[in-house]
Amino acid sequence: IVVTLLYRNGYFEQHLDDQGNQTESPVKWSPEDVLRPISKRVTVEIEGREVHVRAWRHTVEGVYDGHVNVLFLDTDLEENDPWDRSLTDDLYGGDRRYRLAQEALLGLGGVEMLHALGLDGGLIYHMNEGHSALLALGLLERVAGDKQPENVSEGLINRVRNKCVFTTHTPVPAGHDKFAWDLVTRILGPRRTRTLEDVGCKRDGTLNMTYLALRFSRHVNGVAIRHGEISSDMFPDYPVDSITNGADVDMWTAEPFRELFSEHIPEWKHDNQYLRYALGLSLEDIQKAHREAKQDLLDEVARRSGVKLDPDAFTCGFARRATEYKRADLLFDDIERLKRMARKAGPVQILYAGKAHPRDDGGKRMIRRIFGAARELKGHIPVVYLEDYDIELARYLVSGGDLWLNTPLKPHEASGTSGMKCAFNGIPSLSVLDGWWLEGHIEGITGWAIGDPDRTSEPDQERADLYDKLQHTIMHVYYDHPEDYARVMRYCIAFNGSFFNTQRMVSQYWKSVYHRVITEAGPL
């Protein structure tokens, strides 16, 4: 069972002018058209008011007969005042007050809704990031049989810990929510705030949601091996394991490759490990499937932007959140070098996509810089920034390019999954050695590395690696030895596609986390 908030305004629709200035507008959608209402209602106390909460349900069907129910919490009810009704409007919207109220609604309201539906018997509560960590307070109250327990014992805390596991998803400090103690008191009330202080969750005058989750979790993990190590350094008082993320093979594999796999590896969807047998696919079949996927991408680029690109030109893709540590503009540090590269190594075209958070001025500046670089490169290298990056556009980008670029500032990449999605479609990565790429990278086999794996980011070395490998290795192989490039594509599918998928990831969570917690903790 998945519990989340509804977000009636979605994230946002991105609009870019010809200078790369981003503006935003709400995503309009109607929950009533796609979700099923649930009759049960619960209340959550916020700022001393009873906020009424309902839920909507969506059922995700599995490849087999299984399914997962997703519950969307919604406060847009007539009995709530206007501010409370807006709490499920916007993802990451509003100020700190709005954000903490949302997290109280998710954590406390989620526990209440599961109980009201009779779905909380024997559950393990898996907190993904600290946003839902107040569910620990809700469980503490329920285990204690007291809405606002006092004199909380370590035994009571352990009863909650036996029910909870926690995955941290970011090594970036800004990703770990902190709230001033007076705001916590205002939102949650003095007694609940006192309980949080009694159990050791007040640090430096704030409520740190990550520390709250750590305090009440029996198992903690990061989302890649390196991220687990970084998180252990960030939180030395807590043991942090790691389970590397995966991507959904069925969702992200493009139609030409779906047909190819179904013909030669018929069990690929039911057991993603069968993609290992892609080693037996002919290079000609891989090249043919890729040409079809690439043409689909270029057709979509033309439809969205009006720009017609060359299907024979080497095409690089870069698409992810537009925020400074992702360094989407690193490629453009030496414009003249790029021009020489296109003259000497062969035609290059570059596709970008990604939204900057509405309040991320650095991310917005980065988009404008890419637009500026595109103007400087006009007539030499086509650079297209596609606006309003979403899942539909992502499906084209991760299946149709010739190379996937990834240039984060180390060690800020917790995992990354876009390169995994590319691997299902045979697209190799040129990436900084951080996150999942430390595990998926085999130089010249599954792709190529930027920089040194044992050092933090050194921009001069990384820039030199980026240009040198792109011109002298990658484009040389692409244009002069296309069969060797197709061989790299085949290895991407066989080695990375067969491992970096959600099927393996969920299996690891079951074996290494859920089953172990149930076995060690006894009846929940």
Side-chain angles (χ1 to χ4, degrees):
I1 304 166
V2 179
V3 182
T4 185
L5 301 185
L6 188 66
Y7 305 126
R8 285 180 173 271
N9 290 335
Y11 188 27
F12 64 85
E13 289 183 355
Q14 179 193 48
H15 312 286
L16 298 170
D17 66 17
D18 58 5
Q19 300 298 307
N21 295 299
Q22 175 182 295
T23 54
E24 305 90 19
S25 61
V27 176
K28 294 299 182 183
W29 71 294
S30 175
E32 294 81 0
D33 293 339
V34 292
L35 304 176
R36 288 174 290 167
I38 291 174
S39 59
K40 293 285 186 181
R41 304 287 176 90
V42 298
T43 61
V44 178
E45 186 177 316
I46 296 176
E47 295 183 330
R49 300 184 303 279
E50 292 293 315
V51 178
H52 297 264
V53 185
R54 65 175 168 183
W56 302 81
R57 180 170 63 187
H58 174 65
T59 301
V60 179
E61 301 293 342
V63 174
Y64 292 106
D65 294 331
H67 64 272
V68 174
N69 284 315
V70 185
L71 302 182
F72 295 85
L73 304 182
D74 180 18
T75 60
D76 187 18
L77 297 165
E78 290 184 1
E79 50 265 47
N80 290 328
D81 73 24
W83 190 79
D84 294 336
R85 292 185 70 164
S86 76
L87 288 177
T88 51
D89 279 353
D90 296 297
L91 174 65
Y92 304 144
D95 54 14
R96 303 303 289 168
R97 174 191 173 216
Y98 184 88
R99 183 68 173 269
L100 181 55
Q102 282 189 318
E103 297 193 8
L105 175 65
L106 177 62
L108 298 170
V111 168
E112 289 299 314
M113 183 60 70
L114 290 170
H115 179 73
L117 295 171
L119 299 174
D120 56 346
L123 282 185
I124 291 174
Y125 293 81
H126 186 168
M127 294 175 275
N128 273 293
E129 205 56 281
H131 311 311
S132 60
L134 284 169
L135 72 82
L137 180 60
L139 290 176
L140 189 65
E141 294 171 351
R142 193 156 291 284
V143 168
D146 184 346
K147 270 289 184 183
Q148 294 168 356
E150 295 182 357
N151 303 316
V152 178
S153 67
E154 197 65 27
L156 201 59
I157 292 172
N158 283 333
R159 287 178 62 189
V160 174
R161 290 182 75 247
N162 286 344
K163 293 173 175 283
C164 294
V165 299
F166 173 51
T167 298
T168 176
H169 286 265
T170 178
V172 181
H176 300 271
D177 284 340
K178 297 180 182 178
F179 298 99
W181 206 250
D182 58 347
L183 179 62
V184 177
T185 304
R186 175 182 174 182
I187 297 293
L188 299 181
R191 290 193 64 190
R192 276 180 162 158
T193 305
R194 193 159 52 247
T195 299
L196 289 171
E197 187 169 3
D198 289 345
V199 298
C201 292
K202 183 178 183 181
R203 287 175 173 258
D204 302 322
T206 67
L207 174 63
N208 183 310
M209 300 298 280
T210 299
Y211 277 110
L212 173 59
L214 291 167
R215 178 79 170 98
F216 282 93
S217 293
R218 188 174 184 88
H219 174 95
V220 181
N221 69 274
V223 290
I225 291 174
R226 180 64 178 141
H227 178 231
E229 296 167 352
I230 295 293
S231 298
S232 293
D233 292 339
M234 293 176 69
F235 310 111
D237 295 334
Y238 299 90
V240 182
D241 200 351
S242 63
I243 293 177
T244 302
N245 276 346
D248 187 338
V249 174
D250 188 41
M251 178 176 181
W252 293 105
T253 302
E255 190 59 34
F257 281 97
R258 295 173 68 89
E259 293 175 1
L260 179 62
F261 298 159
S262 294
E263 180 180 355
H264 296 281
I265 316 171
E267 290 299 313
W268 70 279
K269 280 201 297 184
H270 297 94
D271 185 348
N272 298 163
Q273 292 182 84
Y274 274 80
L275 288 178
R276 186 77 170 187
Y277 297 116
L279 289 170
L281 297 174
S282 74
L283 299 181
E284 293 79 7
D285 282 344
I286 288 174
Q287 290 171 318
K288 179 177 181 293
H290 177 63
R291 280 195 300 270
E292 293 176 15
K294 186 174 184 178
Q295 189 59 58
D296 289 342
L297 166 63
L298 301 188
D299 289 345
E300 183 67 10
V301 170
R303 188 185 72 80
R304 288 174 178 253
S305 68
V307 178
K308 293 185 178 181
L309 297 175
D310 181 358
D312 295 322
F314 181 71
T315 303
C316 299
F318 189 111
R320 48 187 53 82
R321 287 186 299 117
T323 191
E324 285 185 293
Y325 83 84
K326 299 286 190 180
R327 298 192 299 180
D329 52 354
L330 183 66
L331 180 63
F332 302 117
D333 278 1
D334 190 340
I335 294 293
E336 293 307 313
R337 174 75 186 269
L338 284 174
K339 290 178 181 178
R340 291 196 301 272
M341 186 185 304
R343 289 196 301 269
K344 293 180 178 180
V348 185
Q349 48 200 21
I350 306 168
L351 297 173
Y352 275 91
K355 297 178 178 179
H357 187 282
R359 293 192 295 276
D360 185 353
D361 292 333
K364 291 183 176 182
R365 280 195 302 272
M366 192 168 63
I367 294 175
R368 290 195 293 272
R369 187 179 177 204
I370 295 169
F371 269 72
R375 289 192 294 272
E376 290 186 67
L377 289 167
K378 189 173 183 180
H380 300 272
I381 296 176
V383 179
V384 181
Y385 201 112
L386 298 161
E387 70 179 4
D388 208 27
Y389 183 48
D390 58 9
I391 288 176
E392 181 183 1
L393 176 56
R395 282 177 168 146
Y396 287 102
L397 288 166
V398 301
S399 63
D402 297 309
L403 182 74
W404 195 249
L405 292 173
N406 189 32
T407 52
L409 184 70
K410 292 194 299 186
H412 290 76
E413 185 83 296
S415 173
T417 58
S418 59
M420 301 175 187
K421 298 162 188 170
C422 290
F424 306 147
N425 299 288
I427 300 175
S429 291
L430 172 62
S431 175
V432 168
L433 285 164
D434 201 12
W436 84 281
W437 191 234
L438 277 163
E439 303 164 50
H441 161 260
I442 308 172
E443 185 70 10
I445 302 298
T446 59
W448 299 269
I450 299 170
D452 190 317
D454 299 319
R455 298 180 183 177
T456 56
S457 283
E458 297 180 349
D460 290 340
Q461 181 196 3
E462 290 175 342
R463 191 181 303 109
D465 263 5
L466 174 59
Y467 291 137
D468 288 345
K469 288 189 177 177
L470 194 53
Q471 178 177 351
H472 300 301
T473 301
I474 300 169
M475 292 179 64
H476 168 66
V477 175
Y478 178 84
Y479 280 115
D480 298 336
H481 305 281
E483 285 196 354
D484 288 343
Y485 204 90
R487 194 169 285 110
V488 173
M489 298 177 71
R490 186 166 64 183
Y491 284 135
C492 285
I493 300 166
F495 292 164
N496 286 347
S498 66
F499 182 81
F500 294 100
N501 53 69
T502 49
Q503 190 178 81
R504 183 270 313 158
M505 179 188 73
V506 172
S507 176
Q508 273 192 273
Y509 271 107
W510 166 246
K511 293 175 183 176
S512 301
V513 184
Y514 306 148
H515 182 67
R516 193 171 81 187
V517 167
I518 291 170
T519 302
E520 293 176 356
L524 301 177

